[in-house]
Amino acid sequence: HALWFYQAARLLKGDWGGATKIALPADAEPQGEGVTFGGGASLYLVGESGGGSHGGTFVRLHCPFLDRR
C-alpha cells in the first residue's frame, strides 16, 4: 500500500515524474477512499466499511515531509 503525491503543475504538463511516495501501514484502507491533511505533519486516511459488521477504517499518519509544504 502506498500513497503518491504529485505536483499539480507538473501533472498538467503531462509530467508524471518527481512524485513523493509514502508507504502506508498494513491497517490502512487499500482503496483509500478519503485523504486529508491535518495540522502539522498529519495525514488522515479513511475508508468505508467492508459490509456486514465490519467497520470502516480511520488512520492518522505522521509525514515529516509535509512540514516542508
Side-chain angles (χ1 to χ4, degrees), residues 4 6 8-9 11-12 19-22 30-31 33 35 41 45 47 57-58 62 65-66 68:
W4 294 83
Y6 295 89
L11 282 178
L12 292 172
T20 300
K21 179 182 177 183
I22 305 265
Q31 292 180 308
E33 281 92 357
V35 177
L45 307 174
T57 58
F58 181 82
H62 178 78
F65 92 94
L66 293 174
R68 298 178 292 186

Side-chain angles (χ1 to χ4, degrees), residues 32-48:
E33 281 92 357
V35 177
T36 191
F37 299 97
S42 294
L43 183 71
Y44 296 92
L45 307 174
V46 295
E48 60 190 24

